[in-house]
Amino acid sequence: MFGFGKKKREQVVYAPATGRLMPITEVGDEVFSEKMMGDGFAVDPNETAVFSPVKGTVSTVFPTKHAIGITTEKGLEVLVHIGLDTVELEGAPFTSKVKEGQEVDQNTQISEMNIEEIQKAGYDPTIVIVFTNMDLVKEVPEVASGDVVHSFEVGKLEYNK
């Protein structure tokens, strides 16, 4: 009657950085743009701080510090991939700010990146947010290109259950 006991079917998703928001289809790497790993969105950053795009628990911090996995309360796996092909940089331009098992939300800084160092090495600093277990998701928010600040609400995705 009042919705007590009903599980929330939506997940608010936030911009992980200040910069230019874009659909995942505009990312300059076909693994992401063709949604081979899942659906999502991206931000071309103009500031160095990277924040969590969702409320959840850090499930993975890659040894190369270029990617962080976050799992939401409903089990959605969210990959925060910092830069394109930046695994090649072996962690040099990144400082992780979180550890596995840590609770995070849109106000939690999860990483610091040196954009200038990434670009000097010939890489793209675009941050890609990918929802990797799409079987849990009914609908991903449509993202239009435009300027955003970190923690801006990008939209809500809808879970199947």
Side-chain angles (χ1 to χ4, degrees):
M1 178 166 159
F2 291 88
F4 296 118
K6 280 189 178 180
K7 291 199 176 188
K8 221 168 139 183
R9 293 185 64 192
E10 290 183 335
Q11 175 78 48
V12 179
V13 183
Y14 302 92
T18 298
R20 188 177 72 82
L21 179 69
M22 67 179 103
I24 198 167
T25 53
E26 291 182 15
V27 173
D29 181 326
E30 65 185 33
V31 170
F32 296 117
S33 65
E34 293 183 13
K35 303 179 184 180
M36 292 179 198
M37 293 182 68
D39 205 344
F41 62 94
V43 174
D44 182 8
N46 56 27
E47 291 184 2
T48 61
V50 181
F51 293 82
S52 178
V54 293
K55 183 176 181 181
T57 304
V58 175
S59 51
T60 310
V61 177
F62 284 64
T64 50
K65 302 180 227 165
H66 78 289
I68 296 170
I70 300 167
T71 304
T72 70
E73 179 181 70
K74 296 279 252 169
L76 181 66
E77 296 166 1
V78 182
L79 177 66
V80 180
H81 195 280
I82 308 167
L84 304 181
D85 297 321
T86 51
V87 66
E88 310 277 331
L89 298 174
E90 299 178 352
F94 307 108
T95 304
S96 292
K97 301 284 188 179
V98 292
K99 59 184 188 252
E100 289 180 18
Q102 183 176 334
E103 298 293 319
V104 295
D105 64 24
Q106 74 274 13
N107 297 310
T108 307
Q109 184 178 355
I110 60 173
S111 185
E112 185 84 23
M113 65 195 290
N114 185 323
I115 296 171
E116 191 175 298
E117 192 176 321
I118 292 168
Q119 290 172 328
K120 273 186 188 172
Y123 296 95
D124 182 335
T126 296
I127 302 163
V128 186
I129 305 303
V130 183
F131 310 113
T132 59
N133 53 342
M134 289 296 297
D135 57 313
L136 295 181
V137 179
K138 182 177 182 180
E139 189 174 331
V140 174
E142 288 280 328
V143 174
S145 295
D147 292 336
V148 291
V149 295
H150 82 80
S151 303
F152 168 82
E153 186 178 315
V154 172
K156 293 179 177 126
L157 59 82
E158 189 177 341
Y159 289 109
N160 286 321
K161 297 179 186 179

